Amino acid sequence: MNEKQIQTLGWVGSAMSILMYVSYIAQIINNLHGDKGSWIQPAVATVNCILWTLYALKTRPVQKSIAAANIPGIFLAAATVITSF
């Protein structure tokens, strides 16, 4: 693979990660309507996303696709945890 293909692969993977975290919205809605889900998996996902975001922002060069993939997960997974109580 050449560099352009690798970058494209990284951004496609990032888009898929974002879609995965957007799927938390359905659980957040369920939580708000009283159909509470478990808080454990989204709590672990929140920590995972924080760690990957820190890693991506601290590497040189900055790994923008990794950060872009994980920043939405921090907020959506955390919101899922908060609404599950």
Side-chain angles (χ1 to χ4, degrees):
M1 287 185 127
N2 64 39
E3 187 63 31
K4 176 89 171 150
Q5 291 170 322
I6 292 170
Q7 285 184 344
T8 300
L9 181 63
W11 283 106
V12 169
S14 295
M16 294 305 298
S17 290
I18 291 168
L19 290 173
M20 179 178 62
Y21 296 124
V22 166
S23 71
Y24 279 128
I25 293 171
Q27 186 59 50
I28 292 168
I29 292 168
N30 287 342
N31 288 343
L32 293 173
H33 286 112
D35 186 16
K36 304 289 186 176
S38 174
W39 60 271
I40 297 170
Q41 193 280 333
V44 173
T46 302
V47 173
N48 183 55
C49 289
I50 290 168
L51 293 173
W52 275 111
T53 300
L54 290 172
Y55 167 80
L57 297 176
K58 295 295 182 182
T59 58
R60 295 294 174 250
V62 171
Q63 301 293 316
K64 294 176 187 172
S65 64
I66 294 173
N70 286 283
I71 290 172
I74 294 170
F75 298 102
L76 290 168
T80 305
V81 171
I82 292 165
T83 60
S84 70
F85 293 104

